[in-house]
Amino acid sequence: MTDTTARVALVTGGSGGIGRAVVERLARDGIAVGVHYAGNRARADEAVAAIIEAGGRATAIGGDVADEHAMADAFDTVEREFGGIDVVVNTAGIMVLSPIATLDLDDLDRIHRTNVRGTFVVSQQAARRVRRGGAVVNFSTSITRLRPPAYGAYAASKAAVESMTLVLARELRGKDITVNAVAPGPTATPLFFQGKDQAAIDDLAEATPLERLGTPEDIAEAVAFLAGPARWINGQVLYANGGLA
């Protein structure tokens, strides 16, 4: 018989990078985890196997976050497997760097499909399905404060995420569900390293008062805080960036 008392999470983009750290961190808190992936089933299966080996519960779910039917199916799968959903974490996202003047508009559409529409679609399902006492955690970026050149399209997409996060927190009045966003700073993931030379990486690491890049585990701790004990934090953007901004 399905256990309906344990907490359950669905993490989009949970197969790698920050998402992988998040699913493992939530599993350590005793949360059953749906590990979502977009195209790499093998990486999701690896994450699931690691959680199960450590004594947790997890299952892999595929699908395009921007496809409302695929995401409805993903939520259905997690509910069937674990009895409900208490936590939804949107880590799925893409980044293309280019000056605004030269950005390929097809890349703009791809960024917004995943980062904006994808977050909206998943948040819509979360608003309908997350149980009382639950939490929704979306992902923004500290780039919305730093505003460096070449990040225009990415920053715009994440500013949209912040706005919909704060609106949804107010729309869920009376349901005892918190809605917040985490805004990482420079974090050592494949997405961060993409397109950067070593000098640029070193400069960003030294820019923080802690003089290092963040790790996926650093960001996962912020998510676990918002997903669990942080019941009086709602409608906020938490900047997890080592004091960079």
Side-chain angles (χ1 to χ4, degrees):
M1 183 173 178
T2 300
D3 180 2
T4 60
T5 61
R7 283 168 67 79
V8 178
L10 170 60
V11 181
T12 70
S15 62
I18 290 173
R20 173 70 180 266
V22 168
V23 298
E24 292 181 347
R25 179 63 182 83
L26 295 180
R28 288 201 300 274
D29 282 345
I31 299 175
V33 185
V35 182
H36 164 269
Y37 64 95
N40 194 327
R41 175 64 187 256
R43 287 200 309 176
D45 286 342
E46 288 174 8
V48 168
I51 290 169
I52 292 174
E53 184 177 358
R57 297 184 300 155
T59 190
I61 313 107
D64 176 1
V65 290
D67 183 326
E68 65 270 32
H69 304 295
M71 287 302 97
D73 289 345
F75 275 73
D76 287 344
T77 299
V78 174
E79 288 176 339
R80 282 195 304 269
E81 184 76 16
F82 300 123
I85 297 178
D86 304 284
V87 177
V88 173
V89 184
N90 280 302
T91 76
I94 63 173
M95 179 173 63
V96 178
L97 301 183
S98 170
I100 291 171
T102 57
L103 178 70
D104 187 322
L105 293 182
D106 287 341
D107 287 335
L108 178 68
D109 291 341
R110 288 197 303 115
I111 293 167
H112 279 254
R113 176 174 171 78
T114 297
N115 296 1
V116 180
R117 180 184 170 95
T119 299
F120 195 100
V121 166
V122 174
S123 294
Q124 187 175 68
Q125 288 294 324
R128 297 168 178 171
R129 305 208 199 193
V130 169
R131 296 185 288 202
R132 292 187 67 85
V136 178
V137 183
N138 290 326
F139 262 69
S140 181
T141 173
S142 292
I143 291 298
T144 57
R145 282 187 173 183
L146 298 171
R147 307 179 190 95
Y151 284 84
Y154 182 67
S157 73
K158 292 302 187 176
V161 168
E162 290 187 9
S163 293
M164 76 175 76
T165 297
L166 306 189
V167 170
L168 183 58
R170 286 150 181 79
E171 290 180 348
L172 295 185
R173 171 184 289 273
K175 294 190 175 183
D176 192 25
I177 297 169
T178 62
V179 187
N180 295 288
V182 173
T187 305
T189 66
L191 182 65
F192 168 77
F193 291 125
Q194 181 180 323
K196 297 182 179 70
D197 60 24
Q198 190 59 49
I201 293 167
D202 291 344
D203 286 345
L204 285 167
E206 293 171 6
T208 71
L210 298 179
E211 297 183 322
R212 67 173 176 85
L213 296 177
T215 67
E217 291 73 23
D218 290 326
I219 310 307
E221 287 296 335
V223 173
F225 175 61
L226 293 173
R231 298 306 304 164
W232 194 234
I233 298 177
N234 190 27
Q236 304 299 318
V237 179
L238 176 59
Y239 288 86
N241 60 25
L244 182 61

